[in-house]
Amino acid sequence: QDFQNHLVSCSLGHLARCESQNAPTHDRGLVVLLAIVLEAFEPGVPAAGADTALDLMLEVGEHWHRGEITVAAEHALTARLKHMLLGLFYLNNFEGTGNSPDAPLAVCATLPHELHELGLLRVALYMKSWGYRVTYLGANTPIVDLEDYCIRRQPALVILSCAISLNSQSLLDSLHKLSVLVGPHAPVVCGGSGIRSLNQEQVKVGDVILLNSMFDLERIATECKKSLHLSPAERSHFLKMRLDRKS
């Protein structure tokens, strides 16, 4: 909470400087929006603030499409939100959640060539709030490096984010590679707007579990804790069955 208050204070201070120096309207507006997001972060519920941050980015995107803000302004806000969420992820303690060294480990990353991280940071914050230790590998993670990490750490769950898919075949190739290389070491789930078309087409990608929503991820996180005694392959099969049963 001290960290949150510090960020709000810095943002409002920057806003005051913008006003006194007659800064461009879009700059003042972005700082106001950032302060609103920061104030939405309730103590002990940082993941809820991540929802607000993503809603804000959708709104900012609409302003950009209408030509009301520049690309530079959109990038500036995205960078600020990313640093804010990373700060909450690394510096805040989540009482009663994933602080215990005995808590199951989840690994969060994006697919190769995927550079959007805000959705993944939201997932990482939620996984902590659901009682997991979380390793955050970030954007553009090579699958072979993810495989190596999973061999060494044996996580309970691997979560991949795909916000944008420009090439469906490339996406399918990456998912099949994940199934072959990472699947033997941990269940792999993948979600995000970039795979919605695959879900609609009911595409099967080996052992990778495709998610439609955060509700699906919460179900997976809950059921995964019940199946830690199973092998990765057995756990993946169990999770698929549980998700299909509840869908």
Side-chain angles (χ1 to χ4, degrees):
Q1 183 64 10
D2 290 341
F3 177 69
Q4 174 185 331
N5 291 336
H6 172 70
L7 286 173
V8 172
S9 175
C10 289
S11 297
L12 294 178
H14 182 63
L15 173 61
R17 289 193 296 276
C18 287
E19 295 286 0
S20 64
Q21 297 169 8
N22 295 319
T25 301
H26 68 74
D27 193 16
R28 297 199 305 273
L30 289 177
V31 178
V32 171
L33 290 172
L34 179 61
I36 290 172
V37 171
L38 289 166
E39 290 173 349
F41 279 74
E42 301 176 23
V45 196
D51 292 340
T52 306
L54 290 182
D55 289 341
L56 170 62
M57 287 311 303
L58 291 176
E59 181 179 343
V60 168
E62 290 301 316
H63 285 292
W64 175 76
H65 281 296
R66 292 195 296 266
E68 296 171 354
I69 64 172
T70 64
V71 172
E74 187 271 337
H75 285 183
L77 180 58
T78 300
R80 290 183 187 183
L81 289 177
K82 176 183 173 181
H83 291 149
M84 176 188 69
L85 294 175
L86 281 170
L88 288 168
F89 176 80
Y90 285 115
L91 299 180
N92 275 256
N93 290 321
F94 296 75
E95 184 176 353
T97 60
N99 289 317
S100 169
D102 297 325
L105 175 65
V107 176
C108 293
T110 76
L111 290 174
H113 310 299
E114 172 64 70
L115 302 178
H116 295 79
E117 289 187 71
L118 292 184
L120 182 66
L121 281 165
R122 175 197 185 203
V123 165
L125 286 166
Y126 267 105
M127 291 301 293
K128 273 195 169 186
S129 72
W130 294 333
Y132 283 78
R133 291 179 296 125
V134 179
T135 295
Y136 184 79
L137 298 183
N140 193 22
T141 304
I143 293 176
V144 291
D145 291 351
L146 180 59
E147 175 197 19
D148 178 69
Y149 187 87
C150 291
I151 290 173
R152 291 186 288 109
R153 296 296 304 275
Q154 295 294 306
L157 190 64
V158 175
I159 305 165
L160 279 298
S161 172
C162 178
I164 294 180
S165 175
L166 299 178
N167 185 316
S168 295
Q169 188 56 53
S170 177
L171 174 58
L172 284 171
D173 291 344
S174 292
L175 293 175
H176 281 294
K177 190 174 180 180
L178 277 167
S179 179
V180 172
L181 297 182
V182 181
H185 311 292
V188 179
V189 301
C190 186
S193 57
I195 66 165
R196 285 176 186 163
S197 61
L198 298 184
N199 276 322
Q200 292 171 355
E201 297 170 11
Q202 297 184 329
V203 172
K204 302 298 181 182
V205 282
D207 291 331
V208 177
I209 302 172
L210 302 182
L211 306 179
N212 287 306
S213 66
M214 285 294 291
F215 294 108
D216 284 350
L217 179 60
E218 185 174 9
R219 290 172 185 168
I220 290 291
T222 300
E223 298 295 338
C224 185
K225 289 182 179 180
K226 302 176 184 178
S227 58
L228 296 176
H229 61 287
L230 300 176
S231 70
E234 293 170 332
R235 194 182 317 137
S236 181
H237 180 67
F238 172 80
L239 294 177
K240 277 188 175 183
M241 291 182 58
R242 299 298 292 177
L243 188 61
D244 290 342
R245 184 179 301 176
K246 293 184 178 182
S247 59

